[in-house]
Amino acid sequence: MTVTDWITTPVNWVFAIVALAVLASAFRVVTAKNVVHAALFLVATLAGSAGLFLILSAEFVAWVLVLVYIGAVIVLFLFGIMITRAPTGYDESLDGDRKIWPAILSVTTFALMTWASLEAFGTRAVSNPGEGTDTEVIGIALMGRFVVPFEVVSFVLLAALIGGITIARRDLTPAEEEERTLV
Amino acid sequence: MLLNQFLILAAALFALGIYGLLVRRNLVLILLSVELMLNAVNINLIAFESVFRSELAVGQVFAIFVITVAAAEVGIGLAIVIMIFRNRRSANVDDLSLLRW
């Protein structure tokens, strides 16, 4: 596949626009000086990723991402930010002082991973783009071949739920405890 | 569409997540960076699935598992952050040096 082929395929323009939006908002997630802004930029990043999943014809996973991440996880993050009464305005102390080594490390990681995937896959194309995935197939896989991991994951969720409540609950002082037993 | 355009985008997201994880000093923002990295993994899984097209849609099933585990991780992580904030009045990791040698 030559560069001209790549540019003349309309789906690649969609990809380029979505990818730029994802990268820009992901950059703002790690650089924003406001906690709430960082969380909201993560919404943009995740919405862009859902768009990429739609391009890759993984519709079910795309909507699961929208429901679980944008609908639940981000709301949880915002609740966490508000409940802790953390400073929500502009805040200089969100970042550490030394940024050069983390930057070098992340650029090196990016270069290494890019080199590895270019070596391994070269110009390999995505097969049958635009052909949707049957959600039935995913359901049958989840309830058949992957039923044990599925149950384990649901147990993990339950344990995380109970653990989260236990950790975040405020312990009563002895006086309050006594008051409660009297009532 | 090439496979590599998705893999390189995911690598960039992962690298940004690493940068945020190391630079940020606020616990909530560190959790946000972890979410970025998990999302990069999901993009990789979906991209590989659309290339290798397994019969059971394994890539998509595993992406769903990753999303579920990430949700559990956020729940526990934020509970811990709230607990730390309640005890120490701060969500800054530099203030949490109690176990530092």
Side-chain angles (χ1 to χ4, degrees), chain A residues 1 6 11-12 15 19 22-23 26-33 35 38-39 42 45-46 49 52-53 55-58 60-61 64-65 68-69 73 76-77 80-81 83-86 93-96 98-99 102-103 105-106 109-110 113-114 117-118 121-129 131-133 137-138 141-142 145-146 149-150 153 156-157 159-160 163-164 167-171, chain B residues 1-86 89-94:
Chain A
M1 187 184 260
W6 196 87
V11 72
N12 284 332
F15 170 83
V22 166
L23 282 180
F27 184 74
R28 293 291 293 143
V29 170
V30 294
T31 54
K33 291 279 178 222
V35 189
L42 189 68
T45 313
L46 294 168
S49 314
L52 290 177
F53 291 178
I55 294 175
L56 285 167
S57 65
F60 181 67
V61 187
V64 166
L65 190 84
V68 174
Y69 263 103
V73 169
L76 202 62
F77 265 116
I81 294 167
I83 281 176
T84 53
R85 273 178 290 156
S93 68
L94 292 177
D95 289 351
R98 279 165 299 215
K99 291 183 183 162
L105 184 68
S106 73
T109 314
F110 173 67
M113 285 163 80
T114 306
S117 59
L118 285 176
F121 298 105
T123 57
R124 183 155 188 171
V126 172
S127 62
N128 312 323
E131 201 175 277
T133 316
V137 174
I138 299 174
L142 273 178
R145 175 74 179 77
F146 294 108
F150 180 76
V153 154
V156 166
L157 265 184
I167 293 171
R169 201 182 58 163
R170 193 167 62 89
D171 286 327
Chain B
M1 281 191 294
L2 300 178
L3 171 60
N4 265 330
Q5 65 196 50
F6 293 96
L7 297 189
I8 292 170
L9 175 68
L13 279 183
F14 195 83
L16 280 171
I18 289 178
Y19 175 78
L21 194 70
L22 293 173
V23 163
R24 293 302 207 178
R25 283 288 161 267
N26 183 298
L27 276 169
V28 176
L29 289 172
I30 290 175
L31 280 176
L32 282 179
S33 306
V34 173
E35 293 307 309
L36 268 187
M37 291 161 77
L38 286 166
N39 194 45
V41 173
N42 279 341
I43 292 177
N44 264 4
L45 283 171
I46 300 290
F48 279 124
E49 168 60 33
S50 69
V51 169
F52 297 110
R53 289 276 172 190
S54 54
E55 209 163 286
L56 288 169
V58 182
Q60 299 191 18
V61 170
F62 268 78
I64 292 171
F65 284 149
V66 171
I67 291 172
T68 319
V69 172
E73 174 247 319
V74 168
I76 287 287
L78 280 174
I80 293 172
V81 172
I82 289 173
M83 194 65 191
I84 289 173
F85 195 87
R86 190 177 292 146
R89 292 275 131 220
S90 162
N92 189 317
V93 283
D94 286 336

